[in-house]
Amino acid sequence: MKTAKELQATPIAGETHQVHNVASDLHSYNLFTTDAALLEGVKREGGEWGVGEIAAFGEKCGKPEYLELGFLANKYTPELDTHDRFGNRVDSVRYHGAYHALMKSALEEGLHSQPWTNPREGAHVVRGAKAFMQSQVEAGHGCPVTMTFASVPSFRLQPEVAAIFESKILSRGYDPRNVPIDEKQFITVGMGMTEKQGGSDVRANSTMATPVNQPGAGQMYSLVGHKWFLSAPMCDVFLILAQTTAGVSCFAVPRWLPDGTKNALNVIRLKDKMGNKSNASSEVEFRGAQGWLIGDEGRGVPTIIEMVSLTRFDCMGASAGLMRAGLANAIHHCKQRAAFGAKLIDQPLMQNVLADLQLEYEGAMAFSMRMARALDLKDNDEHEANLARLATAVGKYWICKRAPQHSYEIMECIGGSGVMENSIYPRLFRESVINPIWEGSGNVQCLDVLRAIGKTPAVLMAFNAELNKARGGNAILDTYLNNLNQQFMQLNPADMHGLQYSARTMVDQMALAFEASLLVRHAPAAVGEAFCSSRLAAQGHHNYGALPKGMNVKAIIERADPAIEKA
């Protein structure tokens, strides 16, 4: 037996065991070329011309130092300074450098502007693909990027106001300084709609706006009131809903006034959110803050609705991105970790789980990419416009709602290490519960579906026409579509109580049918067959990992493997 002195001299002194059978961090992979669902979606929906630039950005997103920015931006969260040390009101939010690095990268890549500066077929597809990859690195900073992107159609409704801001909104660059717009080349845009007493019911807003001089579109108004949520308070200008004598109206409210003085937009506090930690969300008070009226008085909701629609599109795509980030990490883990005599990736039940999770992502990404194509074409194609009007609400509801359970299941694949805060999984889970609520909760989306169908029946015809393109490709899907069509035919506008009561049931089925139709038409047979068999047949509506027998799970998992190039 060795003496204590001899043991201390041994090279392994103090070690109790060797570390083995554990996974490593996933990095140094291309987020685009290893993702079959995204790669195929981009090519299919009109973005093939942008494959090279997306792939270059996908390589950047997979670098370890870039992925680390996401961890740092969430570890060192924003802090609010209402006043400087001399007592001057500044309303300034301080962020970690990682947040600024991510913002700079996103804006230089054109994630806020590409479809507006280069409006060609596939522009929304290419921009969407890059934005969805960026969300896998870090989702919080995507909020101001998305709002800046989505604000442009609303500003263009008031050309003289757009002339003040648009060129700086669209420029590819980032300037985080808290200074007047005249001193900047690049600016970002925020949005403030909800108030504490109304939430999604913006017609209950109490903030009042009165003309500074003359009333009317493009004129300056003074706002007095509050906003319960104003995300990204360090944006340079905000689209704000407030009441006038004519009703809810939309205003462009800058942080700094044209004369170089600070606007009376006071940040009261930052929200202590469970997720989206890197992004500062705030409560604000308007104490005579001035802003330009966009559109006519009383038309605030129609004025801002295009912005809302675009942010909803980004919510669904970002939720799909969260699914992809978790699944890529889970497969990487399962290829290294062994239990009960075999690698996890080779065990039948884990294969069932991973394949099922990939099917969920396949459907979500196919839906998101199809909506990107609709955005590209809707201005010149009535079918695409009607499809975008209805399907965006359906997709936002469904995909965002599916993401939290997907993120949790990923954590279970990892086991105990999956809930450790120094891993990516808790952050993905916390982010996943934000998107279902932001830009309209599930009930709001379902009621919007009913509203769209009731107001414009053509939107349902367009949606149904899209579904029917898959007829004959899968017998299970055909039966499902027949049953869904029966429900559509039985819709009774006079029974509003019944329609609202059952709205989620109908929208659930619409979403599943839409995803299934896309996958049956475009994905490999193994994917379409497994999706329909597991979600549309009698054994549907299960926990992940209950795929029926006979599915080609290995082929499905291979499509998701981040170590395999698909390009």
Side-chain angles (χ1 to χ4, degrees):
M1 177 180 294
K2 291 185 178 181
T3 66
K5 186 175 182 179
E6 290 173 327
L7 286 172
Q8 291 174 358
T10 305
I12 60 170
E15 293 184 6
T16 61
H17 63 285
Q18 292 184 343
V19 177
H20 65 95
N21 192 31
V22 295
S24 59
D25 287 331
L26 174 61
H27 58 71
S28 303
Y29 72 110
N30 190 309
L31 272 64
F32 180 60
T33 59
T34 62
D35 183 352
L38 179 58
L39 177 62
E40 292 168 7
V42 166
K43 293 180 177 180
R44 178 176 68 245
E45 305 298 354
E48 187 162 11
W49 56 266
V51 163
E53 68 177 85
I54 303 171
F57 190 59
E59 182 177 2
K60 176 179 180 178
C61 289
K63 291 184 179 297
E65 59 271 21
Y66 200 69
L67 292 167
E68 180 66 10
L69 295 175
F71 286 91
L72 293 173
N74 284 272
K75 182 176 181 179
Y76 303 101
T77 53
E79 296 179 348
L80 170 65
D81 292 324
T82 57
H83 297 75
D84 66 16
R85 67 190 182 95
F86 303 104
N88 299 305
R89 186 96 201 190
V90 291
D91 295 298
S92 181
V93 179
R94 288 181 284 120
Y95 300 87
H96 187 268
Y99 175 90
H100 291 306
L102 288 164
M103 285 291 295
K104 183 175 185 291
S105 175
L107 297 177
E108 288 180 347
E109 194 65 33
L111 303 190
H112 67 304
S113 64
Q114 187 162 9
W116 316 128
T117 57
N118 185 19
R120 57 181 295 186
E121 183 175 344
H124 280 284
V125 173
V126 172
R127 177 259 168 198
K130 292 191 290 187
F132 303 157
M133 291 190 301
Q134 181 85 344
S135 72
Q136 297 177 44
V137 178
E138 204 287 308
H141 77 287
C143 178
V145 175
T146 285
M147 291 189 297
T148 303
F149 156 67
S151 71
V152 173
S154 294
F155 274 110
R156 287 180 174 175
L157 294 174
Q158 202 64 50
E160 68 270 37
V161 179
I164 301 172
F165 300 111
E166 184 172 319
S167 65
K168 295 184 179 185
I169 291 173
L170 297 180
S171 295
R172 290 196 178 194
Y174 175 58
D175 185 346
R177 293 178 301 152
N178 187 11
V179 298
I181 287 173
D182 284 348
E183 298 179 28
K184 290 189 169 189
Q185 289 181 279
F186 321 107
I187 63 173
T188 54
V189 182
M191 176 171 59
M193 296 196 299
T194 61
E195 299 181 6
K196 59 176 71 74
Q197 75 280 353
S200 296
D201 183 9
V202 296
R203 298 192 186 280
N205 284 1
S206 63
T207 298
M208 294 300 300
T210 56
V212 173
N213 293 305
Q214 295 298 316
Q219 297 298 315
M220 189 73 80
Y221 284 64
S222 176
L223 281 68
V224 176
H226 76 284
K227 290 298 169 186
W228 191 231
F229 276 97
L230 186 85
S231 283
M234 291 305 288
C235 288
D236 298 283
V237 60
F238 305 88
L239 290 181
I240 302 293
L241 294 184
Q243 298 279 4
T244 66
T245 55
V248 176
S249 307
C250 182
F251 299 87
V253 179
R255 269 199 296 133
W256 293 82
L257 293 173
D259 63 5
T261 61
K262 184 184 176 302
N263 208 355
L265 187 159
N266 295 347
V267 181
I268 305 305
R269 64 172 176 171
L270 299 185
K271 296 291 198 179
D272 188 9
K273 301 167 291 181
M274 71 166 285
N276 211 249
K277 292 283 192 178
S278 69
N279 173 45
S281 298
S282 64
E283 296 173 31
V284 300
E285 290 182 347
F286 304 112
R287 301 186 178 185
Q290 296 185 19
W292 294 269
L293 175 64
I294 306 294
D296 294 328
E297 286 192 13
R299 296 290 295 169
V301 174
T303 298
I304 208 170
I305 197 64
E306 180 72 5
M307 182 178 186
V308 173
S309 179
L310 289 169
T311 54
R312 287 176 176 177
F313 164 73
D314 268 12
C315 279
M316 75 165 80
S319 290
L322 295 176
M323 293 183 191
R324 170 59 187 169
L327 184 56
N329 276 272
I331 291 174
H332 177 74
H333 170 89
C334 290
K335 289 174 69 175
Q336 299 175 74
R337 178 78 167 176
F340 308 110
K343 296 286 188 183
L344 292 178
I345 197 73
D346 296 323
Q347 299 194 20
L349 186 50
M350 183 60 81
Q351 290 176 342
N352 195 320
V353 171
L354 293 174
D356 208 356
L357 291 167
Q358 171 64 6
L359 291 176
E360 194 69 44
Y361 169 65
E362 291 257 7
M365 185 48 67
F367 203 142
S368 299
M369 285 288 98
R370 181 62 185 90
M371 287 300 95
R373 179 184 172 200
L375 291 175
D376 279 319
L377 303 178
K378 70 182 183 66
D379 290 342
N380 300 305
D381 188 313
E382 186 177 3
H383 169 79
E384 298 294 332
N386 286 328
L387 184 64
R389 173 66 184 90
L390 183 61
T392 299
V394 173
K396 197 277 180 185
Y397 162 80
W398 179 254
I399 295 170
C400 294
K401 275 208 168 297
R402 296 295 289 174
Q405 181 62 31
H406 193 280
S407 293
Y408 161 72
E409 194 68 50
I410 294 294
M411 297 166 80
E412 191 168 320
C413 290
I414 308 305
S417 296
V419 298
M420 297 298 106
E421 289 289 354
N422 59 352
S423 71
I424 195 175
Y425 308 106
R427 171 154 55 97
L428 295 177
F429 178 75
R430 287 194 299 268
E431 292 290 351
S432 73
V433 303
I434 301 293
N435 284 335
I437 298 173
W438 279 10
E439 310 307 333
S441 63
N443 283 357
V444 170
Q445 302 305 314
C446 291
L447 294 175
D448 195 33
V449 168
L450 295 181
R451 189 178 302 109
I453 294 173
K455 184 178 180 180
T456 313
V459 300
L460 185 58
M461 296 174 61
F463 190 88
N464 221 17
E466 199 72 17
L467 298 181
N468 288 332
K469 292 178 181 179
R471 281 195 177 273
N474 182 281
I476 296 173
L477 175 59
D478 287 348
T479 300
Y480 197 83
L481 294 181
N482 290 339
N483 293 334
L484 187 58
N485 274 324
Q486 283 294 112
Q487 293 185 55
F488 290 156
M489 293 173 62
Q490 294 169 6
L491 291 177
N492 181 8
D495 181 20
M496 187 53 63
H497 180 277
L499 286 175
Q500 291 189 7
Y501 185 84
S502 302
R504 285 198 178 203
T505 300
M506 184 180 76
V507 178
D508 283 353
Q509 295 175 64
M510 292 172 69
L512 279 170
F514 197 81
E515 290 185 347
S517 68
L518 289 170
L519 296 180
V520 165
R521 289 170 59 201
H522 303 301
V527 172
E529 180 184 357
F531 190 95
C532 293
S533 296
S534 61
R535 286 151 172 79
L536 307 186
Q539 63 265 48
H541 304 289
H542 52 67
N543 285 320
Y544 291 113
L547 295 178
K549 292 181 179 180
M551 302 295 101
N552 190 350
V553 293
K554 290 185 178 181
I556 296 170
I557 294 170
E558 185 175 288
R559 289 174 58 76
D561 191 335
I564 300 177
E565 290 282 328
K566 315 301 191 305

